Amino acid sequence: MDKTATLLSTLLFLFTFLTTCLSKDLCNQNDKNTLLKIKKSLNNPYHLASWDPQTDCCSWYCLECGDATVNHRVTALTIFSGQISGQIPAEVGDLPYLETLVFRKLSNLTGTIQPTIAKLKNLRMLRLSWTNLTGPIPDFISQLKNLEFLELSFNDLSGSIPSSLSTLPKILALELSRNKLTGSIPESFGSFPGTVPDLRLSHNQLSGPIPKSLGNIDFNRIDLSRNKLQGDASMLFGSNKTTWSIDLSRNMFQFDISKVDIPKTLGILDLNHNGITGNIPVQWTEAPLQFFNVSYNKLCGHIPTGGKLQTFDSYSYFHNKCLCGAPLEICK
């Protein structure tokens, strides 16, 4: 009987111990309190119904916690595609271990970009897109020295692009497209301290010439389409560059492409709806083009044969001044 009692007692202890361990709240209490304030600020939406103060916040929807090395602090807050209204809560700045902050596809999210985001010194990804955020792109974003990915697209942001964004030492992608941004592209975007980021500024109201400084760097992807940019853009090209994608379509660029060499790595080139002149160089047949459009310009001469240029249909060359040869009509 004594052995049986001892065994039962041991099993009971182990069961109690394991139950306690498994039910232990890994979430940091300060983080949990902050998250509950964020939920309240957003009017306790059903989208965040799992945010129950009686449960471990590391198991809540839209959240990720780090491992034991950071004491299971909240490292990612990703809120998207929910029936959420209001402004970005100021309390997001009180999650000091946050590396990823996403508010996306929330059409009823309004107001400006929350200033307390500047406190998030560990932030690597900031994605505020497909919302109704207004106001300028704040200069304080340049204080986020660990930021690698910045997406502020599909909003109603206005004003000029802060030149200080070029000081971000780890930035890999700047996505500012589909807003109401005005002014010129900052001269400072011709000099980034680290890896040259992908640059997407399309569907805005940017104007003026491209800074010549942009010719000093080798973009992998650059999209300046659907703005009001003008002048010369030839500095973005060069056979010694390793660019994969260039989209300058639907602007007011005017330059002669006759002596413009393109990168031998170029897969996407879109120049449609500009005022570009000259002949298409034979050197362009050397690029592994997968998408190509030079329609609605003022190009002339024979389309070079060879390479990928004849794999595109006539719409890629349509409505030029006097361009001819396959896939267009035979040159006379």
Side-chain angles (χ1 to χ4, degrees):
M1 291 293 292
D2 290 340
K3 289 184 178 180
T4 303
T6 301
L7 180 60
L8 289 173
S9 178
T10 302
L11 290 173
L12 180 61
F13 171 78
L14 289 172
F15 176 78
T16 304
F17 176 77
L18 289 172
T19 302
T20 302
C21 289
L22 291 173
S23 63
K24 182 180 179 182
D25 195 341
L26 296 177
C27 180
N28 177 273
Q29 190 60 47
N30 290 333
D31 287 353
K32 175 180 275 191
N33 293 340
T34 295
L35 291 166
L36 292 173
K37 289 178 182 177
I38 290 172
K39 180 182 179 182
K40 183 178 180 181
S41 179
L42 294 172
N43 301 309
N44 298 308
Y46 177 75
H47 194 68
L48 304 180
S50 67
W51 291 24
D52 183 343
Q54 303 304 316
T55 61
D56 180 5
C57 78
C58 289
S59 67
W60 292 355
Y61 184 58
C62 302
L63 288 180
E64 290 181 21
C65 290
D67 57 24
T69 61
V70 292
N71 298 315
H72 305 286
R73 300 298 295 264
V74 173
T75 57
L77 174 59
T78 304
I79 299 178
F80 63 96
S81 299
Q83 296 299 315
I84 288 176
S85 59
Q87 301 185 10
I88 298 175
E91 289 82 5
V92 296
D94 297 328
L95 296 170
Y97 285 79
L98 211 59
E99 297 179 3
T100 298
L101 178 60
V102 177
F103 284 87
R104 189 168 187 265
K105 291 194 174 183
L106 304 169
S107 59
N108 293 320
L109 191 70
T110 59
T112 59
I113 295 176
Q114 177 56 243
T116 61
I117 291 174
K119 296 161 60 178
L120 301 174
K121 302 305 182 184
N122 291 305
L123 206 61
R124 298 171 61 187
M125 174 185 284
L126 178 59
R127 196 172 191 183
L128 311 175
S129 59
W130 297 80
T131 74
N132 272 309
L133 291 175
T134 56
I137 297 175
D139 192 62
F140 68 69
I141 290 178
S142 64
Q143 299 173 29
L144 304 173
K145 300 303 183 185
N146 285 304
L147 200 63
E148 297 175 359
F149 184 88
L150 175 63
E151 183 187 3
L152 303 176
S153 60
F154 289 90
N155 294 301
D156 286 316
L157 301 175
S158 58
S160 59
I161 299 173
S163 61
S164 59
L165 294 181
S166 66
T167 65
L168 291 166
K170 298 182 180 180
I171 196 70
L172 300 176
L174 279 173
E175 168 61 273
L176 311 179
S177 59
R178 293 182 183 269
N179 281 287
K180 298 176 181 177
L181 302 175
T182 55
S184 58
I185 298 172
E187 183 79 28
S188 63
F189 277 24
S191 177
F192 288 89
T195 303
V196 177
D198 289 348
L199 185 62
R200 296 184 175 93
L201 308 178
S202 70
H203 293 78
N204 279 291
Q205 299 168 24
L206 301 174
S207 59
I210 295 177
K212 291 182 179 180
S213 61
L214 266 64
N216 299 331
I217 55 178
D218 189 3
F219 289 102
N220 182 48
R221 292 179 175 86
I222 181 168
D223 185 355
L224 307 179
S225 62
R226 293 180 182 266
N227 280 287
K228 300 176 182 179
L229 299 166
Q230 55 188 288
D232 187 7
S234 62
M235 79 289 288
L236 297 177
F237 300 87
S239 59
N240 61 330
K241 294 190 176 185
T242 59
T243 309
W244 163 251
S245 176
I246 299 176
D247 190 347
L248 306 178
S249 61
R250 294 183 182 271
N251 278 286
M252 297 182 286
F253 291 120
Q254 294 181 334
F255 60 98
D256 188 336
I257 65 168
S258 302
K259 296 182 179 180
V260 173
D261 287 345
I262 61 175
K264 295 179 181 179
T265 55
L266 198 63
I268 298 172
L269 178 59
D270 196 346
L271 302 175
N272 80 79
H273 285 83
N274 281 288
I276 299 170
T277 59
N279 304 327
I280 297 176
V282 174
Q283 188 266 348
W284 289 23
T285 62
E286 300 174 11
L289 294 166
Q290 296 180 12
F291 180 88
F292 180 78
N293 194 335
V294 292
S295 64
Y296 289 88
N297 279 288
K298 299 178 181 179
L299 301 178
C300 271
H302 183 268
I303 298 171
T305 56
K308 298 286 187 177
L309 293 182
Q310 273 69 49
T311 65
F312 304 103
D313 60 28
S314 60
Y315 291 102
S316 295
Y317 300 94
F318 185 69
H319 211 287
N320 272 286
K321 187 177 181 182
C322 48
L323 205 56
C324 60
L328 299 179
E329 294 181 0
I330 297 173
C331 296
K332 296 178 181 179

